[in-house]
Amino acid sequence: MANMKDYSNKITPNWCPGCGHFSVLRALQVAAAKLDIPKEKLAVVSGIGCSGRLSGYMDSYSLHGIHGRSLPMAQGIKLANQDLTVVAAGGDGDGFAIGLSHTIHAIRRNINVTYIVLNNQVYGLTKGHTSPSSERGFQTKSTPVGAIDTPINPGMIAMANGITYYAQAFSAHQEQLIDVIIKGIEHQGFSMINVYSPCVTYNKTNTYQWFREHLVDLDTDKAYSSHDFQLAMNRLMELDGLCTGIVYQRKDIPSPYSQLSLGKTKLGEVNVDGLMEQFI
Ligand code: SF4
Ligand code: MG
């Protein structure tokens, strides 16, 4: 049986002390250990941002790619080798700004990849300016009178575009974070996990304490069902997205790409007619 330390390389993370991302890294390592995924069968891909460093701390296949493009890389890796467990990671700027169209199309394609968004509602790496998930009124050096744009509601975007597994979690609630990652990896299709992961250096509004006061834990709500689309949409709207747990899951839509394995075919031997038949 694997141990979480098996997935940790010798590089010391250079995140600020107290950054929520430590918890996400640990949760992914624990989840991989609990699922007993051989290291050579795990690929972790990240975009750019403080969150992007996550792949570099994993002792697995890892790829620190380009801004907003963790999902195209992750999907390509999965299609090339269906035997791999593929996890993509990125921040709110990465996934909801420059990479938003990739997020939406990954949701539509439903390729069997797990996408973890480390959402701190700010651009941390580039020194604290507003991101698409920053709240209205959020003050930064670039928005001294407060952000004026409506923040993105990632859950509603995911739901509106046909997500088959959508969960949310909080860095300070490890048990639930590990649980939703495990279930996301086990899900046969695209799974997305939006993790509220506080930036202690540049976001002095959405702090650990703030999240403790505002997040509603769906796991404790006996009347909630993650299989009820309308209920999930209503809850996301009512709570401005501020909830944790599995928000929505459906298992009746198999990934249309699950039988495709380009990696087993040498370039030049690709049967284009077969592919066209499969997809058109
Ligand atoms: Fe974490 Fe913020 Fe520091 Fe980046 S700047 S490492 S997000 S605390
Ligand atoms: Mg961010």
Side-chain angles (χ1 to χ4, degrees):
M1 188 73 184
N3 183 289
M4 65 162 280
K5 291 199 176 121
D6 298 338
Y7 303 90
S8 175
N9 62 22
K10 302 250 181 310
I11 302 169
T12 305
N14 64 352
W15 290 314
C16 307
C19 176
H21 298 358
F22 285 98
S23 171
V24 182
L25 173 65
R26 182 184 185 279
L28 177 58
Q29 290 165 340
V30 172
K34 286 193 176 209
L35 290 167
D36 210 13
I37 305 170
K39 288 196 276 190
E40 67 277 11
K41 295 285 182 195
L42 176 64
V44 181
V45 186
S46 61
I48 297 292
C50 294
S51 58
R53 296 174 181 147
L54 184 138
S55 62
Y57 305 139
M58 290 293 296
D59 195 1
S60 64
Y61 285 117
S62 77
L63 174 60
H64 190 173
I66 50 176
H67 200 20
R69 272 65 181 168
S70 64
L71 284 173
M73 294 182 288
Q75 290 166 102
I77 290 167
K78 184 68 182 178
L79 291 184
N81 189 347
Q82 298 272 2
D83 294 339
L84 294 177
T85 295
V86 182
V87 176
D92 40 311
D94 199 72
F96 305 148
I98 189 168
L100 180 62
S101 65
H102 292 304
T103 304
I104 290 172
H105 292 297
I107 290 167
R108 291 177 53 239
R109 286 185 199 115
N110 199 26
I111 296 175
N112 194 6
V113 163
T114 296
Y115 181 35
I116 303 174
V117 184
L118 294 84
N119 184 357
N120 51 20
Q121 297 163 273
V122 72
Y123 280 87
L125 189 71
T126 39
K127 306 282 181 269
H129 51 105
T130 54
S131 89
S133 56
S134 299
E135 290 184 357
R136 268 212 198 97
F138 182 63
Q139 285 183 306
T140 68
K141 284 181 188 163
S142 62
T143 50
V145 294
I148 56 174
D149 297 335
T150 302
I152 287 249
N153 185 321
M156 290 185 73
I157 289 178
M159 299 279 297
N161 288 284
I163 194 89
T164 54
Y165 178 99
Y166 181 75
Q168 297 201 148
F170 175 37
S171 289
H173 191 166
Q174 264 270 309
E175 210 179 307
Q176 187 180 50
L177 176 54
I178 293 165
D179 184 54
V180 296
I181 292 176
I182 288 175
K183 289 180 175 142
I185 290 173
E186 285 175 333
H187 179 73
Q188 294 303 306
F190 185 71
S191 52
M192 179 169 164
I193 302 158
N194 176 43
V195 185
Y196 291 106
S197 181
C199 170
V200 294
T201 302
Y202 293 113
N203 191 336
K204 305 292 186 189
T205 304
N206 309 107
T207 60
Y208 286 97
Q209 188 53 33
W210 188 91
F211 280 113
R212 282 193 187 97
E213 288 165 11
H214 288 83
L215 283 173
V216 172
D217 186 351
L218 298 175
D219 287 349
T220 63
D221 181 351
K222 298 267 179 291
Y224 191 75
S225 165
S226 61
H227 302 292
D228 185 334
F229 181 88
Q230 197 59 56
L231 186 59
M233 278 299 243
N234 289 349
R235 203 55 59 88
L236 287 167
M237 209 170 347
E238 287 156 12
L239 299 170
D240 277 338
L242 289 168
C243 54
T244 61
I246 298 178
V247 178
Y248 184 69
Q249 181 173 25
R250 61 186 300 172
K251 297 181 179 170
D252 57 330
I253 300 183
S255 173
Y257 294 83
S258 59
Q259 300 307 317
L260 183 69
S261 189
L262 298 177
K264 304 249 177 345
T265 311
K266 285 188 184 140
L267 280 179
E269 292 176 7
V270 176
N271 177 357
V272 178
D273 292 340
L275 284 174
M276 297 292 267
E277 225 168 83
Q278 201 169 347
F279 291 106
I280 293 179

